[in-house]
Amino acid sequence: MAKRIDVKDLDIYYGKFHAVDSVTLAVPPRNVTAFIGPSGCGKSTVLRTLNRMHEVIPGARVDGEVLLDGENIYASNVDPVQVRRTIGMVFQRPNPFPTMSIRDNVVAGLKLAGGGGKRSLDEIAERALRGANLWNEVKDRLNKPGGGLSGGQQQRLCIARAIAVRPDVLLMDEPCSALDPISTLAIEDLIGELKKDYTIVIVTHNMQQAARVSDQTAFFNLAGVGQPGRLVELNDTEKIFSNPNEKATEDYISGRFG
Amino acid sequence: MTRNRIKVRPGDRIFKNLSVGAGVIVVALIGLIGLFLLVQAIPALRANNVNFLTSRIWETSDPTHLQFGILDLLLVTISTSLLALIIAMPISLGIALFLTQYAPRQLARPFSYVIDLLAAVPSIIFGLWGILVLAPRLSGVAEWLNRNLGFIPIFANGNVYPNFSGTIFTAGVVLAVMLFPIITSLSREVFERTPTPQVEGALALGATRWEVIRTTVLPFGKAGYIGASMLGLGRALGETIALAIILFIPRGKNFDYSLFDGGATFASKIAANYSEFNNPTSAGAYIASGLVLFVLTFAVNFAARSIIGDKKGA
Amino acid sequence: MTSTLSDTEQPALSPAFQQVSVGRKVKNGTATVLVWLSFLLAVVPLVWVLYTVIVNGIKVIPYSNWWTQDFGSVLSDEVGGGVLHAIIGTLEQGLVCAIISVPLGLMVAIYLVEYGRGGGFSKVTTFMVDILSGVPSIVAALFIYALWITTFGLPRSGFAVSLALVLLMIPVVVRSAEEMLRIVPDDLREASYALGVPKWKTITKVVLPTALSGIITGIMMALARVMGETAPLLVLVGYSAYVNWNLFNHEQAALPLLMNNERATNTMDPGTVGFDRIWGAALTLVIIIALINLIATGVSRMVAPKKK
């Protein structure tokens, strides 16, 4: 299942604005990669190009390649809809579909986009909810609206929804920034378990979180005001937080950022 | 990953085309309305024996000798609309201020709903109420105005004197009531958007409620209020059945610049004479007047939307 | 009176809380009174109109034949009969109008919110919808007359009325649907795309259901509004005192048309048949409009996203 991602010389633009400059990085399978950096440095933007979600914004485009197990997802014959089925995403704010029940939320991807094979939707829903550590909390109210859950439960519901379509990669865009510390801990534990099956890339504002959950960390920064964001350093998480190669990384980690 | 797929899926393409197509239809409709009215009006305008724009005669029952001019219709349309606007503008301003600044918070919503209900009443009911219920009670006011201010032309004896019922005066008052919800709703929307810091700034200076409104809400909402009033004007110009019911059409007498005149507006004239639509030439005369009404309302709405649009951009 | 000095010019002297000057107080009080008065001035005619309709109409509508018979079997000035023929016409014309306007208006709103997003043609469309909402009903009627009756040579009919009503209903549907679609958070669209759901399915299965409650309310309100229109009826269909289910041919009554017809053929003095009929029809129309609004509220509550 899990696949590796290789980004090669990726430039990202919004209209004429050059948002991110020439990123090259590799994400190994069954591994958690964290993107850290100051606001506006382009870390979320890069994440969104990994499953072609940035195209949803009018005027957004990229130069360069993103390879999923060697296949370029930006090749002209690739359907972005298929890319997103293969590379799932969890967002900053929990966003369950308000008109659907908990069960329908989990299987929404399969129902709306087709696929899912021979398994029944109920089986898939249970498996995904178990995978997201939510099954025990919601098994008695699967037909209740997803909006009735707590914020942390909603976010795990969104993770269940993302893994129900059995993607190869899971992208997480600051998945805990809207949650309280206890819910955050639950999600972090879950990430640790999901890593056995999925390649995970997570954007986070919280450096302790990056240190806790990730195997490797990428530090992004702005080259200057009005300049594009760029990848400063990609390294093992331990190395980044103890003895980074770049001065800029060390300044940011130690809070001497400026 | 499945490869060799076309970039746009058929479902997406079809759905997008449908929605763009619907947009094209709506845009084309406006053009079609103008075009069809023009094409159908031309034969009648060719056969017209008097000047269409400056004549006050309307004789279309004999298709072989058409005589029709819109001057009288234009004058009556403008006078009823202006009177309605003069009454409705200050009151609607008051209502909008009431709903946004004065009404108790919990009651602002139900009160707004009450004003919106005015817009839900069919205009034929306003017309009937206007002529059968309101007019007899208004005639006292009309008579008083006529007796004491009759030296001013607009209060002079009109062509439906001494019965003060089916006059432009009555029509204007009823029309004003129908404009309240239109002018109020948009003004209210704009007033609500007055930046809070401005209001708080004024309050912090010790301004009274009225001073806050005068220095922040009114300057901010002026363009929206004027735009809303023009939308109201557009509505008034085209109001049909209420005016057809209220306005009395005196035979052989023209509008003479008195509020106590009767007459017909573009719309009420067409509505009152639908029975003449049995031959295309006579119908063409009415369609020609409908075309003028269309152009008039188009211009007014265009202006209104430009004013409102500018405000939104700012 | 020291009203000529504004706040900023007044020196900040003791006492700590300066009295608001009399002049300012008077102005503030006057404004308050005027503003309240304006609101009352709007409420009075509303209450008065509804009171008139109810008091005058209540005499005839409690009888079952008012709802089950037409005027075909009674003389034009004879007591009795009912308005079934006009109710059928009003509902039929309104329904067909809705069947055409709703998909068209909805698709325009979807174009504006989901596809156009502020582009050149979407600006043109928005503008034209605004203009269309300002087109007088009599002009819409003349257009359909010129198109349907003169150009196509088709007979005056209830369907021609429906077509004219479509022109009046579309802008209202577009406006309300557009507003409802815009408040659907982009989060939901993105969540759907991220699952690999195509855009059109995202719109139909995620965005529309979320906005449905508000859209339904808007549609029903628009429908209630066009059902009260009179002008298109005058130009596009003849009045019949009999029930006519055929929308495409022959005269067909509708409540506003019936009212106008009574006004033309009967005297309006209190106690006469014409008076009873016209106010009875007015009350019937008001009841139908109220019912539609009530149903709208009920249905929209049923489909609204639930929390528990």
Side-chain angles (χ1 to χ4, degrees):
Chain A
M1 274 180 78
K3 291 185 176 170
R4 66 178 285 115
I5 295 178
D6 291 282
V7 178
K8 286 187 179 161
D9 297 325
L10 191 71
D11 287 86
I12 309 170
Y13 303 86
Y14 292 113
K16 283 190 177 124
F17 176 64
H18 192 181
V20 177
D21 184 40
S22 192
V23 169
T24 298
L25 58 81
V27 177
R30 290 190 187 80
N31 178 298
V32 179
T33 302
F35 287 1
I36 60 169
S39 300
C41 67
K43 56 193 189 300
S44 284
T45 303
V46 172
L47 187 80
R48 288 168 66 91
T49 57
L50 300 185
N51 67 343
R52 298 187 65 169
M53 274 301 288
H54 74 294
E55 291 170 30
V56 173
I57 298 161
R61 65 191 170 82
V62 299
D63 266 351
E65 289 183 335
V66 175
L67 306 176
L68 184 69
D69 268 6
E71 289 182 279
N72 185 7
I73 66 170
Y74 284 97
S76 61
N77 58 353
V78 173
D79 180 357
V81 172
Q82 281 300 327
V83 171
R84 293 177 202 139
R85 302 224 52 186
T86 321
I87 305 175
M89 191 161 194
V90 176
F91 297 83
Q92 199 168 346
R93 269 184 305 167
N95 50 8
F97 299 127
T99 52
M100 297 181 194
S101 66
I102 291 172
R103 173 189 172 277
D104 286 350
N105 257 291
V106 178
V107 295
L110 296 170
K111 266 170 93 172
L112 299 184
K118 282 179 197 145
R119 280 167 191 276
S120 80
L121 292 178
D122 283 326
E123 255 177 85
I124 292 169
E126 181 176 344
R127 221 183 61 101
L129 283 168
R130 282 188 192 283
N133 285 344
L134 191 61
W135 175 250
N136 288 328
E137 288 156 72
V138 300
K139 64 183 173 201
D140 299 323
R141 47 170 169 162
L142 291 175
N143 290 317
K144 295 274 161 44
L149 299 174
S150 74
Q153 288 173 325
Q154 286 190 23
Q155 191 63 299
R156 276 179 284 148
L157 178 62
C158 292
I159 294 174
R161 181 175 67 186
I163 60 180
V165 296
R166 307 185 63 122
D168 298 325
V169 179
L170 207 51
L171 308 178
M172 298 183 161
D173 191 358
E174 300 186 34
C176 303
S177 64
L179 303 182
D180 61 73
I182 293 170
S183 307
T184 299
L185 200 65
I187 302 270
E188 286 181 7
D189 286 347
L190 178 58
I191 292 172
E193 287 171 36
L194 289 172
K195 143 175 131 165
K196 292 175 210 142
D197 297 313
Y198 301 93
T199 307
I200 295 174
V201 183
I202 177 172
V203 167
T204 176
H205 252 118
N206 178 334
M207 277 182 281
Q208 285 76 26
Q209 182 170 64
R212 282 193 298 265
V213 302
S214 72
D215 302 306
Q216 62 168 359
T217 297
F219 171 60
F220 289 84
N221 201 355
L222 284 170
V225 179
Q227 303 259 324
R230 62 193 175 86
L231 174 64
V232 177
E233 183 174 357
L234 171 68
N235 227 322
D236 284 347
T237 299
E238 226 168 286
K239 173 107 169 106
I240 286 263
F241 283 97
S242 55
N243 183 21
N245 292 340
E246 300 287 328
K247 174 86 167 52
T249 313
E250 192 177 352
D251 287 351
Y252 183 71
I253 301 294
S254 57
R256 267 176 305 171
F257 181 74
Chain B
M1 215 188 299
T2 323
R3 281 306 169 95
N4 302 322
R5 270 180 175 273
I6 39 163
K7 254 196 146 176
V8 181
R9 319 165 143 252
D12 270 333
R13 204 177 51 228
I14 293 166
F15 196 75
K16 180 173 185 183
N17 288 346
L18 280 177
S19 82
V20 176
V24 171
I25 289 175
V26 168
V27 171
L29 266 179
I30 297 291
L32 285 178
I33 292 174
L35 185 73
F36 268 81
L37 295 183
L38 185 64
V39 167
Q40 305 264 318
I42 284 174
L45 288 170
R46 283 231 172 102
N48 193 0
N49 289 301
V50 294
N51 188 306
F52 177 59
L53 294 176
T54 58
S55 172
R56 302 180 131 205
I57 307 167
W58 195 280
E59 270 306 327
T60 52
S61 42
D62 178 5
T64 58
H65 190 73
L66 283 183
Q67 293 183 303
F68 61 97
I70 54 162
L71 185 59
D72 228 42
L73 301 180
L74 183 68
L75 292 174
V76 174
T77 304
I78 290 177
S79 4
T80 46
S81 304
L82 280 187
L83 176 60
L85 213 55
I86 288 169
I87 301 170
M89 275 182 73
I91 296 178
S92 303
L93 178 64
I95 302 169
L97 288 177
F98 175 79
L99 294 176
T100 55
Q101 315 292 327
Y102 285 85
R105 224 161 233 279
Q106 322 82 284
L107 290 179
R109 244 161 105 79
F111 281 172
S112 309
Y113 185 70
V114 166
I115 298 300
D116 288 341
L117 269 187
L118 268 179
V121 175
S123 47
I124 189 168
I125 293 181
F126 272 119
L128 288 170
W129 169 76
I131 194 69
L132 297 176
V133 182
L134 183 66
R137 284 165 182 78
L138 268 185
S139 65
V141 180
E143 238 178 297
W144 185 87
L145 286 170
N146 176 249
R147 204 168 45 238
N148 295 293
L149 300 167
F151 57 91
I152 306 171
I154 58 165
F155 296 124
N157 291 353
N159 56 23
V160 288
Y161 176 87
N163 172 0
F164 285 103
S165 283
T167 58
I168 289 173
F169 180 68
T170 310
V173 172
V174 174
L175 202 45
V177 174
M178 299 171 73
L179 296 189
F180 290 163
I182 297 169
I183 304 179
T184 302
S185 110
L186 216 141
S187 307
R188 199 179 69 202
E189 244 175 70
V190 179
F191 291 168
E192 269 167 1
R193 285 205 299 264
T194 309
T196 323
Q198 282 186 23
V199 175
E200 285 175 350
L203 281 172
L205 288 173
T208 61
R209 174 132 63 169
W210 169 243
E211 283 160 349
V212 170
I213 291 169
R214 216 193 52 217
T215 54
T216 62
V217 178
L218 290 185
F220 179 82
K222 201 166 114 197
Y225 168 62
I226 290 171
S229 302
M230 291 192 68
L231 283 187
L233 175 63
R235 173 71 207 279
L237 293 172
E239 175 48 42
T240 310
I241 192 66
L243 298 189
I245 290 176
I246 292 168
L247 284 175
F248 175 77
I249 307 181
R251 289 249 166 255
K253 287 186 195 156
N254 287 328
F255 172 67
D256 198 26
Y257 302 97
S258 165
L259 288 179
F260 307 124
D261 280 335
T265 67
F266 285 108
S268 76
K269 181 83 177 173
I270 299 165
N273 294 281
Y274 56 92
S275 54
E276 282 189 32
F277 278 47
N278 44 19
N279 77 79
T281 328
S282 299
Y286 290 98
I287 289 176
S289 73
L291 179 63
V292 176
L293 176 60
F294 176 62
V295 172
L296 216 57
T297 49
F298 187 104
V300 168
N301 279 300
F302 185 99
R305 295 293 173 183
S306 312
I307 293 171
I308 299 164
D310 283 356
K311 187 66 207 174
K312 274 185 186 160
Chain C
M1 288 222 291
T2 54
S3 66
T4 46
L5 283 177
S6 84
D7 282 347
T8 43
E9 290 161 2
Q10 278 178 354
L13 295 173
S14 52
F17 296 104
Q18 265 181 322
Q19 288 290 312
V20 175
S21 73
V22 178
R24 288 172 63 204
K25 262 188 191 161
V26 168
K27 268 191 202 165
N28 192 41
T30 314
T32 308
V33 169
L34 284 178
V35 160
W36 273 88
L37 211 60
S38 308
F39 179 67
L40 291 179
L41 267 173
V43 174
V44 167
L46 177 71
V47 173
W48 195 357
V49 166
L50 290 178
Y51 172 82
T52 307
V53 171
I54 293 169
V55 164
N56 294 328
I58 201 77
K59 275 172 277 178
V60 290
I61 68 155
Y63 301 101
S64 67
N65 57 357
W66 178 261
W67 303 93
T68 56
Q69 293 176 12
D70 56 27
F71 285 154
S73 53
V74 291
L75 296 174
S76 66
D77 55 355
E78 192 184 337
V79 178
V83 292
L84 179 66
H85 57 309
I87 295 175
I88 288 172
T90 292
L91 291 180
E92 218 177 75
Q93 290 159 10
L95 195 69
V96 169
C97 163
I99 289 172
I100 303 170
S101 322
V102 169
L104 206 56
L106 209 51
M107 287 312 276
V108 174
I110 287 173
Y111 164 71
L112 290 174
V113 178
E114 307 292 335
Y115 292 102
R117 296 240 159 178
F121 184 65
S122 82
K123 277 191 187 129
V124 174
T125 310
T126 300
F127 178 72
M128 285 306 179
V129 170
D130 284 341
I131 293 294
L132 197 60
S133 69
V135 168
S137 55
I138 192 79
V139 171
L142 285 178
F143 166 63
I144 297 300
Y145 181 87
L147 175 83
W148 193 254
I149 291 159
T150 334
T151 308
F152 293 167
L154 293 157
R156 305 206 309 162
S157 65
F159 186 71
V161 174
S162 297
L163 287 180
L165 297 181
V166 165
L167 294 184
L168 307 174
M169 187 165 175
I170 283 180
V172 190
V173 173
V174 175
R175 277 278 148 279
S176 64
E178 192 188 347
E179 207 176 301
M180 291 303 138
L181 291 175
R182 276 196 205 286
I183 56 175
V184 173
D186 269 343
D187 292 11
L188 295 182
R189 294 183 180 86
E190 296 207 333
S192 178
Y193 295 148
L195 289 172
V197 180
K199 181 163 184 170
W200 74 278
K201 276 207 171 160
T202 300
I203 295 169
T204 53
K205 304 279 183 175
V206 174
V207 179
L208 274 182
T210 308
L212 193 62
S213 155
I215 291 176
I216 288 177
T217 313
I219 288 171
M220 300 290 254
M221 303 273 177
L223 182 62
R225 186 89 31 111
V226 298
M227 276 182 171
E229 280 290 344
T230 314
L233 292 157
L234 297 178
V235 179
L236 295 169
V237 70
Y239 173 74
S240 158
Y242 295 89
V243 167
N244 170 24
W245 286 94
N246 187 347
L247 205 56
F248 291 91
N249 210 341
H250 305 301
E251 291 79 25
Q252 189 181 43
L255 286 164
L257 188 59
L258 179 145
M259 291 163 70
N260 193 59
N261 189 66
E262 290 301 325
R263 191 180 63 88
T265 55
N266 273 321
T267 56
M268 286 298 108
D269 300 318
T272 61
V273 170
F275 182 89
D276 285 348
R277 284 183 178 181
I278 209 165
W279 290 112
L283 181 54
T284 310
L285 186 58
V286 167
I287 289 173
I288 290 178
I289 290 174
L291 272 181
I292 291 176
N293 281 303
L294 215 66
I295 295 170
T297 318
V299 173
S300 80
R301 246 184 227 158
M302 249 163 58
V303 302
K306 291 165 196 70
K307 275 272 170 200
K308 290 283 164 191

